[in-house]
Amino acid sequence: MVEINTNELTDAEAEQYDRQIRLWGLDSQKRLRSSRVLIIGVKGLGAEVAKNVTLAGVKSVTLLDDGVVTQDDICAQFLVPRDQLGKNRAEASLARTQNLNPMVKVTADTTPVADHPDEFFYEFETICATKCSHDQLLRIDNICRAKDIKFFCGDVFGFFGFTFADLQKHEFAEEVTEFKPSGGGEPETKRAKVEPVKTTVKRTETFVSLEDALSVDWTSEPYAKKLKKSESSYFLMKVLLKFRADKKRDPAPESRQADYEDLCKLRDEELAKMSVPAEKVPDHLLSLVFAEVSPACAIVGGVLSQEIIKALSQHEAPHKNMFFFNPERNLGHVECVGA
């Protein structure tokens, strides 16, 4: 059921969050205020998510990243001061994240995600994973499913980005507008035919696991029919995750030509395994996936943050279950995969 949170906001919190309370209601803000969020990976996309959920007024945000600040981070990661090159990325992002909202507890964790035991993840209501390998993502999602923790993941590769949500069984309240005949004692000719009436309804959505979403059989009847209309984003994501798994890194500008050739080869291999034509991911699209581009981080991070806030507040319908930003069309779209 849609939970009613009995924790009261302080006067300072009510003043701080006044505008968003007016937007999504006091109960939704209370649910946010009691939520603990783990953000894994604090590069460009992770920084956008950290900023937005901290400003929204959750209880706590933990920034987990064992990497160090590089010159590439200066281009897309606005939480890191320029004098922090070579320092741990999570710790370097801590002060600016905390300054966004002193009412939120912000901490940094420098332990590699793979070194954390399962029990570490139990402390959070929501986990958002970026810059993780395929196997790490599956592991964390399975932990979340076992403990009813909301799981999100996403990444930005150059101009391309994606997000995924596994909310398992998610209940939420949604405001709908109905048009009903107007009443009153006036003659029928003077009455308006209909008038809008807003009501709040409770709904439930069921989500599939990340493993199910990534192991779709594109030769099965429903997906074989869908294939012709599907654009390239899902398949590009699969190629990029495979590149990361094989190379232990993302495509890099300093090795552009070699990485581009490897991407083309991986594209051919991965799509052949799925019985999908290689032309589904054209060559020129593979040239747009190098480094993190700040505007793409802002777009994908804004969508990912919005979905986290909606899920925690149980306000409005969530995206089910993937969002893609396609640089070829400069458009984002939501796609339900694996259900």
Side-chain angles (χ1 to χ4, degrees):
M1 62 179 292
V2 178
E3 298 176 6
I4 298 176
N5 195 303
T6 58
N7 294 327
E8 296 298 326
L9 300 183
T10 65
D11 290 343
E13 289 171 333
E15 182 178 357
Q16 171 85 0
Y17 305 129
D18 178 69
R19 291 182 65 184
Q20 50 207 58
I21 290 172
R22 294 172 188 270
L23 177 63
W24 52 56
L26 181 59
D27 286 337
S28 292
Q29 188 63 46
K30 287 180 180 180
R31 285 189 283 269
L32 280 171
R33 190 67 185 91
S34 63
S35 299
R36 297 160 297 178
V37 179
L38 172 64
I39 300 173
I40 303 171
V42 199
K43 288 182 75 66
L45 179 60
E48 290 284 352
V49 175
K51 174 198 70 176
N52 291 329
V53 298
T54 300
L55 289 172
V58 296
K59 180 177 182 178
S60 68
V61 172
T62 300
L63 308 175
L64 192 159
D65 198 316
D66 66 313
V68 298
V69 179
T70 66
Q71 193 63 44
D72 289 342
D73 290 316
I74 304 302
C75 299
Q77 218 281 29
F78 50 81
L79 295 176
V80 171
R82 290 178 176 271
D83 62 357
Q84 295 294 298
L85 286 171
K87 303 292 181 63
N88 174 267
R89 192 178 292 113
E91 293 180 334
S93 304
L94 186 61
R96 287 186 176 179
T97 307
Q98 186 64 80
N99 288 340
L100 290 169
N101 191 345
M103 296 183 182
V104 175
K105 180 182 179 182
V106 183
T107 56
D109 189 317
T110 62
T111 304
V113 64
D115 292 348
H116 277 294
D118 291 1
E119 292 76 15
F120 167 78
F121 301 97
Y122 299 168
E123 301 300 318
F124 303 95
E125 277 70 43
T126 288
I127 295 173
C128 175
T130 71
K131 297 300 174 186
C132 291
S133 70
H134 174 274
D135 290 344
Q136 288 171 342
L137 292 173
L138 294 184
R139 177 205 171 201
I140 297 168
D141 185 34
N142 287 334
I143 293 171
C144 289
R145 292 185 73 83
K147 292 295 179 179
D148 197 25
I149 299 168
K150 301 181 190 306
F151 173 77
F152 295 86
C153 67
D155 267 302
V156 169
F157 300 85
F159 294 92
F160 168 75
F162 77 93
T163 73
F164 169 81
D166 178 7
L167 309 183
Q168 298 134 57
K169 186 177 181 181
H170 179 62
E171 297 181 344
F172 59 95
E174 184 178 27
E175 190 176 80
V176 297
T177 300
E178 298 177 343
F179 293 89
K180 297 183 178 180
S182 59
E186 295 182 0
E188 186 174 349
T189 54
K190 292 186 178 182
R191 294 183 204 161
K193 291 184 179 180
V194 292
E195 59 183 14
V197 177
K198 291 186 178 181
T199 58
T200 299
V201 297
K202 296 179 180 179
R203 303 188 191 280
T204 302
E205 288 282 4
T206 302
F207 288 71
V208 300
S209 68
L210 179 63
E211 185 172 12
D212 287 341
L214 294 181
S215 58
V216 167
D217 180 5
W218 289 92
T219 63
S220 64
E221 185 177 351
Y223 282 97
K225 291 179 179 179
K226 187 178 179 181
L227 182 60
K228 289 184 178 180
K229 296 182 180 179
S230 295
E231 50 99 82
S232 57
S233 293
Y234 176 87
F235 308 103
L236 177 58
M237 173 195 69
K238 293 273 289 184
V239 172
L240 290 166
L241 289 177
K242 178 62 174 174
F243 183 98
R244 178 182 287 171
D246 289 353
K247 303 287 186 180
K248 312 301 181 187
R249 62 175 178 84
D250 292 343
E254 57 269 23
S255 53
R256 175 181 289 271
Q257 186 57 39
D259 286 355
Y260 173 76
E261 293 173 1
D262 287 339
L263 285 167
C264 290
K265 182 179 178 181
L266 280 174
R267 183 267 319 272
D268 295 344
E269 294 172 352
E270 289 302 300
L271 269 61
K273 292 177 184 176
M274 294 184 279
S275 300
V276 174
E279 294 77 19
K280 203 66 178 175
V281 180
D283 289 355
H284 71 271
L285 198 55
L286 297 173
S287 67
L288 302 175
V289 297
F290 290 83
E292 280 187 310
V293 178
S294 183
C297 290
I299 294 168
V300 179
V303 172
L304 182 52
S305 306
Q306 170 186 272
E307 292 307 301
I308 292 172
I309 293 167
K310 283 160 58 177
L312 289 174
S313 65
Q314 295 182 272
H315 181 76
E316 298 299 336
H319 287 171
K320 186 181 178 183
N321 51 355
M322 285 187 154
F323 169 83
F324 296 104
F325 182 73
N326 187 317
E328 194 173 28
R329 303 187 301 157
N330 286 322
L331 289 174
H333 72 279
V334 177
E335 190 168 346
C336 184
V337 182

Coordinates of all heavy atoms in Angstrom, one line a residue, residues 69-70 73-74 77-89 91-97:
V69 N 40.0 11.4 -8.9 CA 39.6 12.5 -9.8 C 40.6 12.6 -10.9 O 41.8 12.7 -10.7 CB 39.5 13.8 -9.0 CG1 39.1 15.0 -10.0 CG2 38.5 13.7 -7.9
T70 N 40.2 12.6 -12.1 CA 41.0 12.8 -13.3 C 40.7 14.0 -14.1 O 39.7 14.7 -13.8 CB 40.9 11.5 -14.2 OG1 39.5 11.5 -14.8 CG2 41.1 10.2 -13.5
D73 N 37.1 14.2 -15.4 CA 36.0 14.6 -14.4 C 35.8 16.1 -14.5 O 34.6 16.5 -14.2 CB 36.4 14.2 -13.0 CG 36.4 12.7 -12.8 OD1 35.5 12.0 -13.3 OD2 37.3 12.1 -12.2
I74 N 36.8 16.9 -14.7 CA 36.6 18.3 -14.7 C 35.6 18.7 -15.8 O 34.9 19.8 -15.7 CB 37.9 19.0 -15.0 CG1 39.0 18.6 -13.9 CG2 37.8 20.5 -14.9 CD1 38.5 18.9 -12.5
Q77 N 31.9 16.6 -14.1 CA 31.6 16.4 -12.7 C 31.8 17.7 -12.0 O 32.9 18.1 -11.6 CB 32.6 15.3 -12.2 CG 32.0 14.3 -11.2 CD 31.9 14.9 -9.8 OE1 31.7 16.1 -9.6 NE2 31.9 14.1 -8.8
F78 N 30.7 18.4 -11.7 CA 30.7 19.7 -11.2 C 30.8 19.7 -9.6 O 31.0 20.8 -9.0 CB 29.5 20.5 -11.6 CG 28.2 19.7 -11.3 CD1 27.6 19.7 -10.1 CD2 27.6 19.0 -12.3 CE1 26.5 19.0 -9.8 CE2 26.4 18.3 -12.1 CZ 25.8 18.3 -10.8
L79 N 30.8 18.6 -9.0 CA 30.9 18.5 -7.5 C 32.4 18.5 -7.1 O 32.7 18.6 -5.9 CB 30.2 17.3 -7.0 CG 28.7 17.3 -7.2 CD1 28.1 16.0 -6.6 CD2 28.0 18.5 -6.5
V80 N 33.3 18.3 -8.0 CA 34.7 18.2 -7.7 C 35.4 19.5 -7.9 O 35.5 20.0 -9.1 CB 35.4 17.0 -8.5 CG1 36.9 17.0 -8.3 CG2 34.8 15.7 -8.1
P81 N 36.1 20.1 -7.0 CA 36.9 21.3 -7.2 C 38.1 20.9 -8.1 O 38.6 19.8 -8.0 CB 37.3 21.7 -5.8 CG 36.4 21.1 -4.9 CD 36.0 19.8 -5.5
R82 N 38.5 21.9 -8.8 CA 39.6 21.7 -9.8 C 41.0 21.3 -9.1 O 41.9 20.8 -9.7 CB 39.8 22.9 -10.7 CG 38.7 23.0 -11.7 CD 38.9 24.3 -12.6 NE 37.8 24.4 -13.6 CZ 37.9 23.8 -14.8 NH1 38.9 23.2 -15.1 NH2 36.9 24.0 -15.6
D83 N 41.1 21.7 -7.8 CA 42.3 21.4 -7.1 C 42.4 20.0 -6.5 O 43.3 19.7 -5.7 CB 42.6 22.5 -6.0 CG 41.5 22.5 -5.0 OD1 40.6 21.8 -5.1 OD2 41.7 23.3 -4.0
Q84 N 41.4 19.2 -6.8 CA 41.3 17.9 -6.2 C 41.8 16.7 -7.1 O 41.5 15.6 -6.8 CB 39.9 17.6 -5.7 CG 39.4 18.5 -4.6 CD 40.1 18.3 -3.4 OE1 40.1 17.2 -2.8 NE2 40.8 19.3 -2.9
L85 N 42.5 17.1 -8.2 CA 43.0 16.0 -9.1 C 43.8 15.0 -8.3 O 44.7 15.4 -7.5 CB 43.8 16.7 -10.2 CG 43.0 17.4 -11.3 CD1 44.0 18.1 -12.2 CD2 42.2 16.4 -12.1
G86 N 43.6 13.7 -8.5 CA 44.3 12.7 -7.9 C 43.7 12.3 -6.5 O 44.1 11.3 -6.0
K87 N 42.8 13.0 -6.0 CA 42.1 12.7 -4.7 C 40.9 11.7 -5.0 O 40.4 11.6 -6.1 CB 41.6 13.9 -4.1 CG 42.6 15.0 -3.8 CD 43.7 14.5 -2.8 CE 44.7 15.6 -2.5 NZ 44.1 16.8 -1.9
N88 N 40.5 11.0 -4.0 CA 39.4 10.1 -4.1 C 38.1 10.9 -4.6 O 37.8 12.0 -4.1 CB 39.1 9.4 -2.8 CG 37.8 8.6 -2.9 OD1 36.7 9.0 -2.6 ND2 37.9 7.3 -3.4
R89 N 37.4 10.4 -5.6 CA 36.3 11.1 -6.2 C 35.1 11.3 -5.2 O 34.5 12.4 -5.2 CB 35.8 10.3 -7.4 CG 34.9 11.1 -8.3 CD 34.6 10.3 -9.6 NE 35.7 10.2 -10.5 CZ 36.3 9.0 -10.7 NH1 35.8 7.9 -10.1 NH2 37.3 8.9 -11.6
E91 N 35.2 11.4 -1.9 CA 35.6 12.4 -0.8 C 35.7 13.8 -1.4 O 35.3 14.8 -0.7 CB 36.9 12.0 -0.2 CG 36.8 10.7 0.6 CD 38.1 10.3 1.3 OE1 39.2 10.6 0.7 OE2 38.1 9.6 2.3
A92 N 36.2 13.9 -2.6 CA 36.3 15.2 -3.2 C 35.0 15.8 -3.6 O 34.9 17.1 -3.7 CB 37.2 15.1 -4.5
S93 N 33.9 15.0 -3.7 CA 32.6 15.5 -4.0 C 31.8 15.8 -2.8 O 30.7 16.4 -2.9 CB 31.8 14.4 -4.9 OG 32.5 14.1 -6.0
L94 N 32.3 15.4 -1.6 CA 31.5 15.5 -0.4 C 31.1 16.9 0.0 O 29.9 17.2 0.3 CB 32.3 14.8 0.7 CG 31.6 14.7 2.1 CD1 30.4 13.8 2.0 CD2 32.6 14.1 3.1
A95 N 32.0 17.8 0.0 CA 31.8 19.2 0.6 C 30.7 19.9 -0.3 O 29.8 20.5 0.3 CB 33.1 20.0 0.6
R96 N 30.8 19.9 -1.6 CA 29.9 20.6 -2.4 C 28.5 19.9 -2.4 O 27.5 20.6 -2.5 CB 30.4 20.6 -3.9 CG 31.5 21.6 -4.1 CD 31.9 21.8 -5.5 NE 33.0 22.8 -5.7 CZ 33.5 23.1 -6.9 NH1 33.1 22.5 -8.0 NH2 34.4 24.0 -7.0
T97 N 28.5 18.6 -2.3 CA 27.2 17.9 -2.1 C 26.5 18.3 -0.8 O 25.3 18.6 -0.8 CB 27.3 16.4 -2.2 OG1 28.1 16.0 -3.4 CG2 26.0 15.7 -2.2

